[in-house]
Amino acid sequence: MRFKTVGLMIMILSGLLLVACSGQSTEEAMYEHMEEAVRLEGDFVDQQQPLGELEQKEQDIYQEISELGMDEYEEIRTLAEQAIASIEERRELTEKEIASIEASKNEFEQIEPLIADLEDEALQETAHEMVEKMEERYQAFLVLHEAYQSSLDYDIALYELLMKEDLEEPEFTEQVDQVNNQYQEVIDANHAFNEATDDFNEKKREFYDQSDLNITYE
């Protein structure tokens, strides 16, 4: 079962007080890019429920297959084909995930040329640290995404084995071990991504607190 990539970039902020008399400040311009990046991750968030539902569907199918005898080959084959179709649906959803993350990252990167315009050196330093944390988070997501794609491949290979009429137990056991090992990699990568997200959100909050922006956290 997939462990949700929770945390995301969902430090929701509201209540920005603008300094209207002198035009948009650098901090305000950075704020707009950063919060647009949050919005662009919305599609990423939206994939979590359907992914979880598909995973549960596949677990139910696997349980059903495990309760069938080898003489019920046609039913096993039908269920395995259903599982593979579900896995391919998950793959499509993960492509939406990474597209959302990349769009968010591209938007966030728009703050980098603005950092030099910040008058406060301490705020500049915090902004640079925040950008570093975002890059670390992005790299952690790429590792997670790759690990999850590999887990989908191993899952499909498992169900393809189950469709073999002459399946031998050692071959099946070896594939199950590969599935489980890859699943552990997904868990570890997910944990690293969540930690990177927490680190980024902490630095983002620090930046807002140091700035002249009046931010209300929801």
Side-chain angles (χ1 to χ4, degrees):
M1 181 177 180
R2 178 188 174 88
F3 276 60
K4 288 186 178 180
T5 47
V6 296
L8 312 180
M9 194 168 62
I10 52 175
M11 183 181 290
I12 304 301
L13 305 166
S14 64
L16 174 64
L17 300 182
L18 299 177
V19 185
C21 59
S22 60
Q24 187 181 54
S25 70
T26 300
E27 289 93 333
E28 290 162 4
M30 292 174 68
Y31 172 89
E32 290 186 0
H33 286 301
M34 290 158 67
E35 297 312 304
E36 176 63 10
V38 173
R39 188 192 68 79
L40 289 169
E41 284 202 13
D43 207 25
F44 180 24
V45 178
D46 291 343
Q47 307 314 310
Q48 304 314 304
Q49 181 175 345
L51 278 166
E53 290 173 353
L54 288 171
E55 287 161 356
Q56 184 59 55
K57 173 183 175 181
E58 291 157 34
Q59 285 187 349
D60 293 342
I61 290 173
Y62 186 81
Q63 180 63 34
E64 192 172 350
I65 289 175
S66 68
E67 294 172 356
L68 295 173
M70 293 303 296
D71 58 334
E72 298 173 280
Y73 170 74
E74 289 303 325
E75 188 170 354
I76 291 174
R77 182 180 182 84
T78 298
L79 290 169
E81 289 173 345
Q82 291 175 9
I84 290 173
S86 178
I87 294 166
E88 293 297 355
E89 285 185 57
R90 281 198 285 148
R91 196 186 300 279
E92 292 178 6
L93 294 179
T94 63
E95 291 308 310
K96 293 181 180 180
E97 278 189 325
I98 195 168
S100 177
I101 288 289
E102 289 178 342
S104 176
K105 180 177 183 291
N106 290 338
E107 179 66 30
F108 185 85
E109 287 176 343
Q110 300 304 306
I111 76 167
E112 291 190 58
L114 300 175
I115 294 176
D117 295 332
L118 294 170
E119 296 180 0
D120 187 291
E121 289 185 5
L123 190 59
Q124 279 191 21
E125 182 178 353
T126 300
H128 283 300
E129 291 171 352
M130 180 175 60
V131 169
E132 289 176 2
K133 292 300 181 184
M134 171 54 78
E135 181 60 29
E136 290 173 7
R137 177 179 182 263
Y138 177 67
Q139 294 302 322
F141 176 77
L142 292 182
V143 172
L144 173 60
H145 179 76
E146 184 176 347
Y148 195 70
Q149 296 304 305
S150 294
S151 75
L152 296 178
D153 294 337
Y154 284 124
D155 286 347
I156 288 175
L158 177 63
Y159 285 106
E160 287 176 342
L161 276 182
L162 288 169
M163 288 191 288
K164 291 177 60 176
E165 289 189 87
D166 58 347
L167 176 61
E168 298 291 337
E169 184 173 348
E171 186 179 14
F172 174 73
T173 300
E174 180 181 357
Q175 186 61 38
V176 168
D177 287 343
Q178 289 181 323
V179 167
N180 290 337
N181 290 338
Q182 187 61 35
Y183 180 49
Q184 185 59 52
E185 287 194 25
V186 172
I187 293 173
D188 293 342
N190 184 81
H191 180 69
F193 174 71
N194 288 341
E195 283 194 339
T197 297
D198 289 341
D199 290 344
F200 167 75
N201 278 336
E202 182 179 343
K203 189 58 63 174
K204 181 180 179 183
R205 180 184 287 269
E206 182 180 338
F207 174 81
Y208 281 159
D209 289 345
Q210 284 182 240
S211 73
D212 293 330
L213 299 171
N214 189 352
I215 300 296
T216 298
Y217 299 101
E218 294 183 341

